[in-house]
Amino acid sequence: MVRFENVSKVYADGTKAVESLNLQVERGELVCLIGPSGCGKTTTLKMVNRLCEPTSGTIQVGGQDVMQVDPVQLRRGIGYVIQQIGLFPHMTIAQNIELVPKLLGWDTPKRASRVDELLPLVGLDPDTFRNRYPRELSGGQQQRVGVLRALAAEPNLILMDEPFGALDPITREALQDELKRLQGKLKKTILFVTHDMDEALRLADRIVVMKEGKPHQIATPDELLRNPKDEFVAQFVGRDRLTDAPELLTVSEVMIKRPVTVDPNHGLAEAIATMRQRRVNALLVTDVDDRLLGIVTAQEIERNRRSLLTVSDLMRSNPPVIHPGASVKEAFERMFLDHLEFLPVVDHQGVLKGLMTHTSLVDVLSHALWPDGGAVSSGGGAA
Ligand SMILES: Nc1ncnc2c1ncn2[C@@H]1O[C@H](COP(=O)(O)OP(=O)(O)OP(=O)(O)O)[C@@H](O)[C@H]1O
Ligand SMILES: [Mg+2]
């Protein structure tokens, strides 16, 4: 449907915005372009509908070289949502949405019914909004209308430049779903620019990670999650992947690495002192080779504190354990189903490697929700 062959764009001032782009987008495919600010995403989109022209190389849409097609004609067949909304201020919401259908010669009733059909899709009541002007809408509402305008005439190719950037998460998800549905059902081809890896992973059939004007890695979301080409891609993917694929995380990645341990021959007073000092309510009992022997909890010690017993007398042997390579999902499922407060992580030789706690879960979730650092630190060893 869209084919870039060796496409480069050098702006008049010498800025190399896009360099040797080769990309084939199939009919019905949704391809996301993602990359740092200034890497050439908007420029790439604009070359497709000739809002800017490539310096070299060719772009074909539906088998036709765009440079051979009348630009006005070309644009009528391509939906476009620009990065800054771009509604016409002197036109009402309805007039904005029916712009292309009108150019295509749809009659008035058909256009009006299309407007009334589209507005509710993005949670805007037609009676309230159809006759308002863009300045009478919030930024997010304007953005939603911008998306509708691109969809109105049901073009086969849609270019979207960060269309959902200013929306609240709920509206954004509703629109993502709507877009996915439309694309799947009507076989629309969509080139979608985003900054948001979550959005790309959710929507894309393929993701193009761009760096300095060049496609750096082109892959399906799954490939990208599993095999980021290098550190640049890994960083781009990494901080968000927890949100979309916590099942891909392993226990060893989130466990507490140095849980507090105790020697089986220690007395109870000593064990309690360690707990108090390290602020934990249980200790993992290990032998000299770090093999896990059992668990002893503050509660059990409390009940026997006047006795002369040792840790080994009180410990629970053979506690449930999990391997470091197991998935985080499995660990939490076991913890919840068996009402475990913690789950020691033990390798095949029985050596203690770490500990999963409910705090580890909080870490995973907070990392997913606030990838930039809201995460609670795992600390040194709370059990
Ligand atoms: N008209 C122009 N003249 C000169 N340089 C331009 C022009 N438009 C864009 N550029 C430059 O080309 C490069 C790519 O810009 P582009 O808008 O394609 O980036 P982008 O990936 O869409 O960035 P963002 O994520 O910030 O929207 C940037 O360095 C930009 O400054
Ligand atoms: Mg841009």
Side-chain angles (χ1 to χ4, degrees), residues 41-42 83 161-162 193:
K41 305 180 295 291
T42 297
Q83 202 168 347
D161 198 346
E162 308 203 25
V193 168

Side-chain angles (χ1 to χ4, degrees), residues 36-43 45-46 83-84 161-162 193 195:
S37 184
C39 71
K41 305 180 295 291
T42 297
T43 305
L45 285 198
K46 281 183 173 170
Q83 202 168 347
Q84 303 85 8
D161 198 346
E162 308 203 25
V193 168
H195 263 110

